[in-house]
């Protein structure tokens, strides 16, 4: 009795989730995920500002430094390494623009 009940529940969950997914994908009255021209509509993605990128970079570098638990000898080499990381981020931004 327990196995058939589990099987029915699993089938209903799979069927229900596929119906919900189909409704979320369409988003339009006709059920189509296409724009007026017939081409697939483009999704809007978050574009961080320059201030956001700087804040994320600072946070990542601080987390990396804290996670590494540098010794005194290693601390001496940290500033050039940090500058190299910042230069890489700038290069990545320039290529993306």
């Amino acid at each position: 009795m327990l196995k058939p009940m589990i099987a029915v529940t699993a089938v209903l969950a799979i069927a229900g989730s596929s119906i919900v997914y189909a409704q979320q994908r369409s988003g339009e009255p006709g059920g189509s995920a296409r724009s007026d021209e017939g081409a697939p509509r483009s999704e809007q993605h978050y574009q961080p500002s320059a201030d956001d990128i700087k804040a994320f970079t600072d946070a990542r570098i601080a987390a990396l430094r804290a996670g590494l638990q540098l010794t005194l000898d290693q601390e001496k080499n940290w500033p050039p390494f940090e500058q190299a990381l910042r230069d890489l981020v700038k290069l990545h931004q320039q290529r993306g623009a």
Side-chain angles (χ1 to χ4, degrees), residues 54-71:
K54 184 181 182 316
F56 288 137
T57 301
D58 291 342
R60 287 182 187 135
I61 290 174
L64 178 63
R65 187 174 188 174
L68 288 174
Q69 300 176 352
L70 302 174
T71 65

Side-chain angles (χ1 to χ4, degrees), residues 26-81:
S26 67
E28 295 180 4
S32 172
R34 296 189 174 270
S35 64
D36 294 335
E37 298 85 29
R41 62 178 182 202
S42 63
E43 299 294 328
Q44 294 181 349
H45 296 285
Y46 170 69
Q47 294 293 325
S49 68
D51 291 337
D52 290 341
I53 293 172
K54 184 181 182 316
F56 288 137
T57 301
D58 291 342
R60 287 182 187 135
I61 290 174
L64 178 63
R65 187 174 188 174
L68 288 174
Q69 300 176 352
L70 302 174
T71 65
L72 291 177
D73 290 335
Q74 293 169 331
E75 282 284 338
K76 295 175 191 173
N77 297 325
W78 180 257
F81 179 76

Side-chain angles (χ1 to χ4, degrees), residues 75-90:
E75 282 284 338
K76 295 175 191 173
N77 297 325
W78 180 257
F81 179 76
E82 182 176 352
Q83 187 58 45
L85 284 176
R86 292 185 188 281
D87 291 343
L88 282 173
V89 170
K90 287 180 186 176

